[in-house]
Amino acid sequence: MAISGIGSNYNNVYESIYTAQKNEAVKKADTKEAAAAQAGKAKDTQNAQHSGEKAVSDYYSYLQKNYGCMSKGNVTVSSEYLKKCSGDSKKAKELEDFLKKIPELEKQGYEQLSAQNKALGGTVTYYQQSWMVDKDGSIQSTVYSVTETGMTNAERMKKNMDERLEKQKEKKEEEEKVKKRKEEKAEQAEKLEAKAMMQKEKLEDAYYPKFDMNV
């Protein structure tokens, strides 16, 4: 009986060791599979990121090739917004429609500045307009310009002062005309009111002959 008991204990110990080793092997296999899966996900993420970066790079190259303002460097577009446009045809169309308008917008800006400076006796000799599109698609513009003038600072200040005085004079004359028209209307209204009062008084004082109803 003692031998049987020892044998039984031996078998139990052996089974316990075998079970523990088996469980450990399963755990290692599961860990390897989890690590492999995680590595696969990381690789997929890297591939997707690389693919996204390539799409942005390709789209930027397309814009530079097809729009002069992009190739000249006049326009800076946020990389985040470029990424949105590269994956969204609607946003891409909005961006490209804006890029098409830039030459006309710059022409208008130059003409307006030239007209303003010409009125002051100056000439625009350099004009550059830059544009920036942020991550939300908002647009900001900056103008760099150089203006040459034959007048001295004192002459330019005098010209500006004369123009301001002339405008003030014209404004004052217009105000006086408006005031005079209002006074004339008020005077005319008073005359009409006085005339109406006189007619009313005449009617109240008027003589109405009495007729003998028996005749």
Side-chain angles (χ1 to χ4, degrees):
M1 293 179 64
I3 294 173
S4 298
I6 293 171
S8 177
N9 290 336
Y10 175 80
N11 290 335
N12 290 337
V13 171
Y14 175 79
E15 288 177 358
S16 298
I17 294 173
Y18 174 77
T19 301
Q21 290 177 342
K22 183 178 179 182
N23 290 338
E24 185 66 23
V26 171
K27 287 181 181 178
K28 289 182 179 180
D30 290 343
T31 302
K32 288 182 180 180
E33 289 179 1
Q38 187 173 0
K41 287 181 180 179
K43 187 175 181 181
D44 290 342
T45 301
Q46 290 177 353
N47 290 337
Q49 185 176 1
H50 178 71
S51 177
E53 290 174 355
K54 186 176 186 307
V56 172
S57 178
D58 290 345
Y59 184 59
Y60 183 73
S61 299
Y62 162 79
L63 294 178
Q64 283 189 314
K65 183 178 179 181
N66 290 274
Y67 299 97
C69 57
M70 290 292 294
S71 60
K72 292 176 183 176
N74 292 1
V75 183
T76 303
V77 184
S78 161
S79 59
E80 188 173 338
Y81 192 69
L82 275 175
K83 185 177 181 180
K84 291 178 182 178
C85 292
S86 65
D88 189 330
S89 58
K90 184 178 179 181
K91 288 186 180 297
K93 185 178 184 305
E94 290 176 354
L95 175 61
E96 292 179 40
D97 285 344
F98 163 67
L99 296 178
K100 290 176 185 176
K101 294 177 182 177
I102 283 182
E104 183 61 28
L105 294 173
E106 291 181 344
K107 181 182 177 183
Q108 292 175 3
Y110 171 76
E111 290 175 348
Q112 290 176 2
L113 184 62
S114 295
Q116 292 172 0
N117 283 275
K118 186 176 181 181
L120 299 174
T123 303
V124 178
T125 57
Y126 176 81
Y127 181 90
Q128 182 181 0
Q129 192 166 3
S130 62
W131 308 83
M132 185 177 70
V133 183
D134 66 16
K135 63 180 182 179
D136 299 320
S138 299
I139 300 168
Q140 295 180 348
S141 176
T142 305
V143 173
Y144 304 90
S145 66
V146 176
T147 300
E148 293 183 359
T149 175
M151 293 188 296
T152 63
N153 289 336
E155 289 173 340
R156 185 164 54 252
M157 290 175 65
K158 184 179 183 302
K159 180 178 175 63
N160 292 340
M161 180 63 72
D162 291 342
E163 288 179 352
R164 284 198 295 269
L165 290 174
E166 184 64 25
K167 289 181 179 179
Q168 290 176 359
K169 182 181 177 182
E170 292 175 356
K171 183 178 179 181
K172 187 175 181 180
E173 289 177 351
E174 184 62 27
E175 289 175 350
E176 289 178 352
K177 288 179 181 179
V178 172
K179 183 179 178 182
K180 187 176 180 180
R181 285 196 293 267
K182 287 182 178 179
E183 290 175 351
E184 289 176 350
K185 287 182 179 180
E187 185 179 354
Q188 187 177 4
E190 288 178 1
K191 288 180 179 180
L192 291 173
E193 186 178 355
K195 186 177 180 181
M197 290 293 294
M198 290 175 63
Q199 289 177 348
K200 184 178 180 181
E201 289 175 358
K202 286 181 179 179
L203 290 173
E204 288 176 352
D205 295 336
Y207 171 73
Y208 296 100
K210 295 181 180 179
F211 296 94
D212 188 352
M213 300 301 293
N214 298 321
V215 177

